[in-house]
Amino acid sequence: MILSKISRRYQHILYYIFATNSRLWNAYLNEEVEGTLCPVDTKIVKKVLQTYKKRLLQIHERMLELYEEVQNLESCMMSMEDSFKIHENTEEKELRGLLLRHKNFVEMQIFEVYLEMHKLNEEEESIHRIWRCFQALVEKEKNVLRQIFVEGNSYNEAVIGSKVSHKTFETMRANGVRRIIEWYQSDLSNEEIICKKMQNQSETQGE
């Protein structure tokens, strides 16, 4: 839920925004329906394995930027609240109208910042889960995906290096990706997926 992940200090602002803007309320409801994990397919698995470290770094850097933006918006809100108190009894309706308009604009920015932070949180959690699923694969499947996606070797180079037939290599690749998607979409927790990794390691050592 978006509101549950947002500072209590701003929840009343978002409730106000939702109450006065049906479009944003519908956007919030859509976020609620979608859940916390992003949908995943073969292309997304491939992209995550190829850009895992780089994308996480980008997300962390952007989150720091958004945090700073929230701090600035908070300061702006406090200044406007002081201005409202100063002009509380003023008859200058135009001035109060401009202050109110700017206040609403800042409130909207706060919502947009938190919405982006929420989406980045979802993406980061999904990337982390995909990587955990990848790490839990049996060693042969993991090595195939590591060579062609993580390390970026060409498909032919990876096949030759694996010392197995093209058909066997492709089967391991397809099975590895399929297993990642199945585990990702399952009810297994990340901790249970890690246990699969440990189990696979024990079975490999016992062979």
Side-chain angles (χ1 to χ4, degrees), residues 9 20-21 26 32 36 38 50 70 109 113 125 129 139 144 147 157 168-169:
R9 184 167 192 170
T20 57
N21 193 312
N26 289 332
E32 292 287 288
T36 57
C38 302
Q50 288 175 329
V70 165
Q109 284 182 296
V113 169
E125 290 168 2
R129 185 171 174 83
E139 202 62 31
V144 166
Q147 289 181 53
E157 288 175 344
T168 300
F169 184 90

Side-chain angles (χ1 to χ4, degrees), residues 2 9 18 50 67 75 82 94 122 125 129 143 160 162 165-166 174 178 183 196 201 204:
I2 296 176
R9 184 167 192 170
F18 291 148
Q50 288 175 329
Y67 178 77
S75 176
D82 291 339
E94 183 177 353
E122 281 191 341
E125 290 168 2
R129 185 171 174 83
N143 283 338
I160 294 172
S162 68
S165 68
H166 181 279
R178 176 180 55 79
W183 289 343
K196 280 185 172 293
Q201 288 176 340
T204 301

Side-chain angles (χ1 to χ4, degrees), residues 32 36 47 84 89 91 136 140 204:
E32 292 287 288
T36 57
K47 184 176 181 180
F84 270 107
N89 298 318
E91 295 181 358
K140 291 180 180 179
T204 301

Side-chain angles (χ1 to χ4, degrees), residues 1 7 11 14 19-20 25 30 34 54 64 74-75 81 85 114 116 122 142 146 149 174 178 183 189 194 204-205:
M1 297 175 64
S7 168
Q11 285 185 13
L14 297 186
T20 57
W25 175 245
N30 288 335
E34 288 177 6
K54 180 180 178 181
L64 290 175
E74 177 183 3
S75 176
E81 288 173 0
K85 291 178 182 178
Y114 275 114
E116 184 177 351
E122 281 191 341
K142 184 165 59 176
R146 180 188 293 115
F149 296 146
R178 176 180 55 79
W183 289 343
S189 66
I194 292 173
T204 301
Q205 292 172 357

Side-chain angles (χ1 to χ4, degrees), residues 1 22 27 55 73 82 97 123 130 139 141 150 181 198 200:
M1 297 175 64
S22 59
R55 182 54 187 155
L73 289 170
D82 291 339
E123 183 182 354
I130 289 173
E139 202 62 31
E141 292 175 353
V150 180
I181 295 175
M198 298 172 64
N200 287 336

Side-chain angles (χ1 to χ4, degrees), residues 61-71 112-113 116-117 120:
E61 290 176 346
R62 181 56 180 156
M63 288 292 279
L64 290 175
E65 291 175 355
L66 291 172
Y67 178 77
E68 183 177 351
E69 190 172 342
V70 165
Q71 297 293 94
E112 291 169 353
V113 169
E116 184 177 351
M117 292 176 77
L120 288 173

